[in-house]
Amino acid sequence: MKGTLNFKRMLSLTRHLQKYKIHCLSYSQLNHRWLQQIHKVGHGRQLSSCADTMVSNVYTPRRAVLYVPGSDDRKLQKITGLDVDCAVMDCEDGVAINRKEEARHTIRKMLDELDFGRTECVVRVNSVDSGLMEEDLKVIFRADRMPQAIMLPKVNSPQEIYQFTENLKESLKGRIQKQKLQLITFVESAIGLINLTEIFRNTTELSNSEGLFDLAGVVFGSDDFCADIGASRTADATELMYARQKIVTCAKAFRLQAIDLVYINYKDLDGLEKQSLDGSNMGFTGKQVIHPGQIPVVQRAFSPSPDRVEWATQLLQAFSHHTQSGKGAFTFHGAMIDMPLVLQARNIVQLAEAIKS
């Protein structure tokens, strides 16, 4: 009965994807592809039920995303010793308006001088409607070494993505890209949240047509969002529950990472840990941090435990054995296993391997 249900689920999925002209496989072929994917741990975005019809990229962990003001040379120099997944050299909120020019040129210099090691090197430019983004891109991309990712804040509509793309294209003119940039957008307003699906859809289309960047994730700018809707921040962030859930849902529908809100009280590590675990349980893949002391707590919270990794590894091995033997559904540690649980296990092992490597 369980195998029949799985077959019906996969048949329904296949028909749904064919409706959108996405290449689909038979149930047995899908099982075979899933087995192939399981042995390619560390590659591809986090999977959901139809992710293996998508193009795979190497998964980049962004458990802790640290902002460093681009105008502060001393703080930028310290990035290399922090062992953080993602370091964001900031042109935007972390920089006073009279120091924007200084920040651009300092970031350009740091791109060429610093050895970021395993840390992803990211630059957050100013928003499209600020009138400052174009100059940010021009200066930053004069560096010999490009950042791995660009963060674009305060995205409210697809039109801003089109403007960003045109400015990026101009800034990259005459330059050979060894690989695509990763683009990470921000949700910071009510209208940005309402338009999120359209923003993702248009950005993905631009990624495919222009070939300049891949959309990699979305960040929740909670303080600007609260100001926009007139909400008061609370310790448990209940006023942001709907927005957080919608952001995660939209992000996962497009196979994107979702980065959770900042915990402002950087000295309260217990509160930070609780909020980080809550975010991880909701489906967020990482969290913004504003102080180096927050990094270990956040990266631990968004990492699978050794027990969880062992469970996932054993489940995948059992799944491989049962599939190769031609059997359908099976029990593992007393529970009936179907494909969604296998995919969840694969995500856990993938993340663990990405962190380890």
Side-chain angles (χ1 to χ4, degrees):
M1 182 65 178
K2 189 74 174 180
T4 302
L5 290 174
N6 280 341
F7 175 79
K8 288 179 178 178
R9 183 183 297 118
M10 293 310 305
L11 184 61
S12 174
L13 172 65
T14 299
R15 288 171 177 166
H16 174 74
L17 292 175
Q18 285 174 336
K19 177 181 177 183
Y20 292 99
K21 300 181 180 179
I22 298 175
H23 173 66
C24 286
L25 307 170
S26 69
Y27 180 66
S28 60
Q29 287 173 317
L30 282 166
N31 264 334
H32 177 68
R33 287 290 181 89
W34 268 315
L35 279 172
Q36 289 180 322
Q37 289 295 324
I38 284 166
H39 294 296
K40 294 179 181 177
V41 173
H43 296 279
R45 291 175 177 167
Q46 286 191 302
L47 288 178
S48 73
S49 57
C50 63
D52 106 31
T53 65
M54 307 267 177
V55 177
S56 293
N57 295 318
V58 175
Y59 184 82
T60 301
R62 297 182 180 96
R63 296 167 297 169
V65 176
L66 174 70
Y67 298 106
V68 186
S71 56
D72 195 323
D73 189 283
R74 180 181 62 85
K75 289 181 179 178
L76 291 169
Q77 295 279 358
K78 290 184 176 181
I79 290 173
T80 58
L82 294 178
D83 193 34
V84 64
D85 284 354
C86 178
V88 183
M89 297 187 287
D90 194 14
C91 286
E92 201 222 6
D93 283 350
V95 179
I97 190 66
N98 63 344
R99 301 189 70 184
K100 297 289 187 181
E101 185 67 15
E102 177 187 354
R104 294 178 189 121
H105 289 279
T106 302
I107 290 171
R108 175 191 171 186
K109 182 179 72 169
M110 292 300 166
L111 283 168
D112 290 334
E113 290 183 0
L114 295 183
D115 179 3
F116 290 87
R118 77 164 196 87
T119 297
E120 184 184 29
C121 169
V122 181
V123 174
R124 178 166 70 169
V125 296
N126 286 281
S127 63
V128 172
D129 66 1
S130 70
L132 301 169
M133 180 206 62
E134 184 176 2
E135 191 62 24
D136 290 340
L137 292 173
K138 285 180 180 178
V139 174
I140 288 163
F141 287 107
R142 289 176 193 152
D144 291 332
R145 184 172 65 175
M146 289 171 52
Q148 292 163 277
I150 291 291
M151 284 185 164
L152 183 63
K154 298 178 175 63
V155 178
N156 293 320
S157 70
Q159 287 69 32
E160 292 169 64
I161 299 295
Y162 284 98
Q163 183 62 54
F164 164 80
T165 304
E166 287 303 310
N167 291 142
L168 179 64
K169 189 189 303 184
E170 186 65 28
S171 297
L172 291 173
K173 189 175 291 184
R175 179 164 196 155
I176 298 174
Q177 278 185 264
K178 294 181 180 178
Q179 60 185 23
K180 283 185 178 181
L181 284 166
Q182 301 296 292
L183 176 63
I184 301 170
T185 62
F186 279 65
V187 178
E188 302 185 63
S189 68
I191 193 65
L193 186 66
I194 289 172
N195 290 335
L196 193 54
T197 300
E198 283 303 308
I199 290 168
F200 286 166
R201 182 177 292 115
N202 281 267
T203 306
T204 302
E205 290 173 357
L206 276 172
S207 169
N208 293 333
S209 64
E210 297 293 343
L212 300 175
F213 57 78
D214 282 323
L215 182 60
V218 60
V219 178
F220 182 31
S222 57
D223 290 304
D224 283 277
F225 184 85
C226 278
D228 189 54
I229 66 171
S232 299
R233 285 295 299 269
T234 61
D236 59 6
T238 53
E239 70 282 358
L240 296 171
M241 181 63 73
Y242 167 73
R244 293 169 79 194
Q245 289 176 330
K246 178 163 183 177
I247 288 167
V248 167
T249 302
C250 291
K252 298 310 174 74
F254 285 84
R255 314 296 180 258
L256 306 175
Q257 293 187 27
I259 310 301
D260 203 6
L261 71 168
V262 171
Y263 192 77
I264 298 298
N265 186 356
Y266 66 89
K267 293 183 179 179
D268 178 16
L269 298 184
D270 290 337
L272 172 66
E273 182 178 36
K274 181 182 183 304
Q275 192 180 83
S276 298
L277 290 170
D278 287 346
S280 177
N281 290 334
M282 288 176 68
F284 283 97
T285 53
K287 189 173 185 65
Q288 303 164 83
V289 298
I290 54 174
H291 189 276
Q294 295 179 312
I295 295 170
V297 175
V298 170
Q299 293 193 162
R300 185 169 60 248
F302 284 92
S303 301
S305 68
D307 288 345
R308 192 71 170 155
V309 174
E310 183 179 6
W311 168 85
T313 303
Q314 291 176 358
L315 189 153
L316 295 180
Q317 291 171 348
F319 172 73
S320 177
H321 171 74
H322 280 269
T323 302
Q324 289 172 359
S325 65
K327 297 179 181 178
F330 65 99
T331 58
F332 179 74
H333 290 185
M336 187 66 76
I337 302 300
D338 62 4
M339 199 56 65
L341 202 56
V342 173
L343 291 168
Q344 183 182 22
R346 193 264 184 181
N347 287 341
I348 292 169
V349 176
Q350 171 188 277
L351 176 57
E353 287 295 320
I355 293 168
K356 181 179 178 181
S357 64

